Amino acid sequence: MKEMAKSGAFKDKNDSKDKSENSSQNENNEDSDIEDELATLLGMRCAVYHTHTWGGQPSLHNAMVSSAVPRQDDDQFTDLQVRVLFTHPTHQEMLPCPFFLNGECKFSDEQCRYSHGAVVQLSNLKEAIEPNYANIKIGSRILLKLKPPDDEDMSVVKKSTEKYHLWHRGVVKGVDVEKKSCVAKLEQNIKTGDKRKSAS
């Protein structure tokens, strides 16, 4: 019988059972290896492209991997996905939702005014953009945060404190090398020049 089984003329039920058990064990091992590898990504700093809700060109923003998106059975050959949170949110839609982070948000990803994280393909993660303070000079465009009033409760993001949690675009107006500080003006307040007169 063993000789027949070796030649393929006879299949032993136990052999096929062992093979199926081995293949399922291999699949389980592969899945656990992938899960272990994904677990090492949690907290990793990266950069991802983000398109704002109103449209426009995608722009690169620093983010952090917060979780791995579970794979469905039918997408085993597609790219793995992760959920990222923006570390320097510039708009309300990018601000991490504090209730979601605590598992208490009653809104869906689409309905919440804040971010539950952007789902990104693993292959689309870029290296985090490191700031280069040595290159800061007058006229440099930077991201800055507004200093909240001392009596403002900043523990939870709310509409009244959003501007203090967001990063704003600004232009450097002065640099003090000794104090390692600079003076910047918010970009929104920069005059863009005279309005063009329409020809009549």
Side-chain angles (χ1 to χ4, degrees):
M1 288 289 220
K2 285 183 181 177
E3 289 172 7
M4 290 175 72
K6 281 182 186 176
S7 67
F10 170 76
K11 285 190 178 177
D12 188 356
K13 288 179 184 175
N14 291 333
D15 283 353
S16 61
K17 191 177 179 183
D18 289 345
K19 283 178 184 174
S20 66
E21 283 176 5
N22 286 340
S23 66
S24 67
Q25 281 179 347
N26 287 341
E27 285 174 16
N28 288 339
N29 287 342
E30 284 175 19
D31 286 346
S32 65
D33 287 346
I34 290 169
E35 286 170 14
D36 290 344
E37 209 165 303
L38 286 174
T40 63
L41 294 175
L42 299 183
M44 183 185 85
R45 293 178 69 240
C46 59
V48 296
Y49 281 100
H50 173 72
T51 304
H52 294 294
T53 50
W54 62 86
Q57 292 295 317
S59 52
L60 205 56
H61 295 269
N62 277 347
M64 181 186 74
V65 176
S66 65
S67 65
V69 177
R71 287 196 307 172
Q72 303 299 323
D73 291 339
D74 58 346
D75 70 353
Q76 60 181 340
F77 297 109
T78 61
D79 197 0
L80 296 171
Q81 293 181 320
V82 292
R83 189 178 292 271
V84 299
L85 296 171
F86 295 103
T87 56
H88 297 79
T90 55
H91 294 81
Q92 172 197 300
E93 74 206 40
M94 300 167 75
L95 272 175
C97 172
F99 301 104
F100 175 76
L101 296 176
N102 293 331
E104 298 169 357
C105 188
K106 57 186 177 185
F107 298 104
S108 67
D109 292 359
E110 294 78 27
Q111 292 176 325
C112 186
R113 68 183 285 126
Y114 300 117
S115 175
H116 288 184
V119 176
V120 184
Q121 289 189 329
L122 193 59
S123 61
N124 288 344
L125 296 183
K126 311 290 182 197
E127 277 192 42
I129 305 159
E130 297 296 337
N132 189 344
Y133 299 109
N135 286 346
I136 291 180
K137 58 185 184 292
I138 293 173
S140 294
R141 295 180 71 215
I142 59 170
L143 283 178
L144 58 89
K145 269 186 123 173
L146 301 176
K147 186 177 186 295
D150 293 334
D151 60 345
E152 188 71 65
D153 177 20
M154 297 294 293
S155 58
V156 178
V157 179
K158 50 187 183 254
K159 191 151 180 64
S160 62
T161 63
E162 277 176 11
K163 62 183 173 186
Y164 302 116
H165 291 278
L166 291 172
W167 289 78
H168 304 274
R169 298 184 193 284
V171 176
V172 174
K173 293 296 180 184
V175 179
D176 189 331
V177 179
E178 288 179 12
K179 292 183 181 176
K180 294 185 179 178
S181 65
C182 65
V183 176
K185 184 176 182 182
L186 288 174
E187 211 171 61
Q188 295 99 307
N189 297 337
I190 296 171
K191 292 180 181 176
T192 56
D194 296 333
K195 291 182 180 176
R196 290 185 182 177
K197 293 180 181 176
S198 57
S200 52

